[in-house]
Amino acid sequence: MTDTIEKPSLNFVEQIIEDDLASNKWDGRVQTRFPPEPNGYLHIGHAKSICLNFGIAEKYGGGGNLRFDDTNPIKEEGEYVDAIEKDIRWLGFNLDDRVLFASDYFEQFYEHAIALIRAGKAYVCDLTSEQTREYRGTLTSPGKDSPHRDRSVDENLDLFQRMRKGEFPDGTRTLRAKIDMASPNFNLRDPVMYRILHADHHRTGSDWCIYPMYDWAHGLEDTIERVTHSVCTLEFENHRPLYDWFLDALDVFHPQQIEFARLNLGFTVMSKRKLLELVRDGHVEGWDDPRMPTLSAFRRRGYTAEAIRNFCDRIGVARFNSRIDLAVLENCIREDLNKRAPRVMCVLNPLRVVIENYPEGQVEELDGINNPEDASAGERKIPFSRVLYIERNDFLEDAPKKFFRLAPGREVRLRYAYFVTCTQVIKDDNGEIVELRCTYDPATRGGSAPDGRKVKGTIHWVSADHAVDAEVRLYDRLFTEENPDKTKENTSYLDCLNPESLTTLSNCKLESSWRSAADATTWSDRIVRVQFERTGYFCLDPTTSDTKPIFNRTVTLRDTWAKMQKRS
RNA sequence: UGGCCCGUGGUGCAAUCGGUAGCACGCCUGACUCUGGAUCAGGAGGUUCUAGGUUCGAGUCCUAGCGGGCCAGCCA
């Protein structure tokens, strides 16, 4: 038999790596790195990069470093370092001893700078930042040489050493590479390598008052770690000539920089600046507010690491800036949770139902299946009694034909229980429905009728006397626009925040046996996840209490009824 | 009106580096069902941005145009 199973196609980065492996370019070695700046929390766009970089390392038997690119003490904090590490481990990547810091290389950067000065390829410049900008020129006109460009090596050495010693105030001098002020690529117009910053660094404290710029530091970090493939996002494309220039000028091990398109996701923003703003200005409750696109937020919302990694695999890697449909992500988490999450009944918006012909004081234990997708999850007993709660929107007084739920005179099945028929609607003085009266058919115990009659609808319910009170938080997209970054003139992404992104339901009625179902499945991150039948997937919030559990909605179930309603 | 990069069904990616397009999501139909869930079966949808060129043959190569992205921090 000819095996024609297609091998999965490689993305362009893997293509490069396999070519390099074939030509033995790096002695068969593959070394990647993920280099976040600890100035914010990781978001799902970072997950794409993490999966790419660490995924490649795993796939080709290479190494993948987590390297904190901590070269700007003003924006960086230890809190972010811890959060970033936690998120990556949660995603399931083994970091071992490969957690590294650019700040550990500061001394080496300094020595390399001295070498560059000695080679006549770097100079100390006394221009202010405004002057530097003026001298840089524009898109269409070349820049002008700095008046300090031709200082002697000795003078440069002396000045640079004194910069390090702290003899000059912030902003008074820089060390710049001597390249080409007329280059059409701005990055080559004598880029700044070091700036003076008398600021405490979260790791090196007050050891330094000069800090390296990204372009100067990054290639050095890569060369020090013997990175072979330095994968970054598209906006660094214009920086690659400079990356190469520094490494060539120093004549050191020279990794290859490869750029790919960052992830954009519908109905959210992905820039760290904007996410920080959302947190700082209180538009959300924190970095892990479940509406955020951060990994800590997805975790708190109930997303699994598996689903996120699967998502990252699915979206592909290319050099084209695109935006992924939110539905793809939702599909990934539903797919995972459908297989694994135990089912439980919870009434979100309770409506009281009295089964008139059911004996008062009687309680029955009915069998419920914990997970129809996984027999090993077992069964549980669910208490049934005369007074129940059902979902308010499972009843309609004037129900259309296509409405398969409860309505006056109509019969539905209570899941795992009995067929019931609505006989009476009780309203308060304002005309609001406060209670339903029903009758049940004792012969339909367990949910099927001996006479073979069918009912179209099955609804969930909870016994009133046994119900556990719960708070449930319903999350929706944070923005009303698919692309909040590109709104109409004079508006910002903040103007399209979705006012209904969070709905808190504090009077939910949860099945008393929910725990035994939930315990049927254990998750590697210890988060408790369940499906509330017919409404969605939920997880226990970290702030939950024993007396009144708090659940976060991860994602709704696919809802064709809602879709039909939307269409008409 | 400078440079660099990109352009394949609604969306995201493939097409083993020249042999006339395939997958996923979405959408539509139907089957089944004690979740209007899940599952299964089927369907619609593409002049591969445009125009030239090279070639027996081009989504793949060349040229031009059009459209989009990035770049003038002592941020990364």
Side-chain angles (χ1 to χ4, degrees), chain A residues 539-566:
Chain A
C539 76
L540 219 43
D541 189 81
T543 64
T544 195
S545 74
D546 287 336
T547 48
K548 188 174 184 182
I550 301 174
F551 285 91
N552 296 327
R553 184 172 70 193
T554 309
V555 67
T556 60
L557 246 32
R558 258 201 212 93
D559 188 346
T560 51
W561 169 246
K563 201 189 276 179
M564 284 164 65
Q565 281 182 306
K566 218 174 169 182

Side-chain angles (χ1 to χ4, degrees), chain A residues 213 310 438:
Chain A
M213 299 292 291
N310 186 237
C438 292

Side-chain angles (χ1 to χ4, degrees), chain A residues 286-304:
Chain A
W287 285 100
D288 69 344
D289 184 305
R291 294 167 292 183
M292 293 280 276
T294 55
L295 293 178
S296 53
F298 277 119
R299 178 168 60 235
R300 185 167 181 185
R301 186 160 169 169
Y303 272 72
T304 61

Side-chain angles (χ1 to χ4, degrees), chain A residues 114-139:
Chain A
I114 298 283
L116 220 54
I117 293 171
R118 287 219 165 92
K121 291 178 178 173
Y123 62 96
V124 172
C125 179
D126 303 353
L127 258 30
T128 64
S129 56
E130 296 76 43
Q131 290 172 316
T132 306
R133 193 191 328 122
E134 283 160 22
Y135 274 69
R136 193 153 25 227
T138 71
L139 289 175

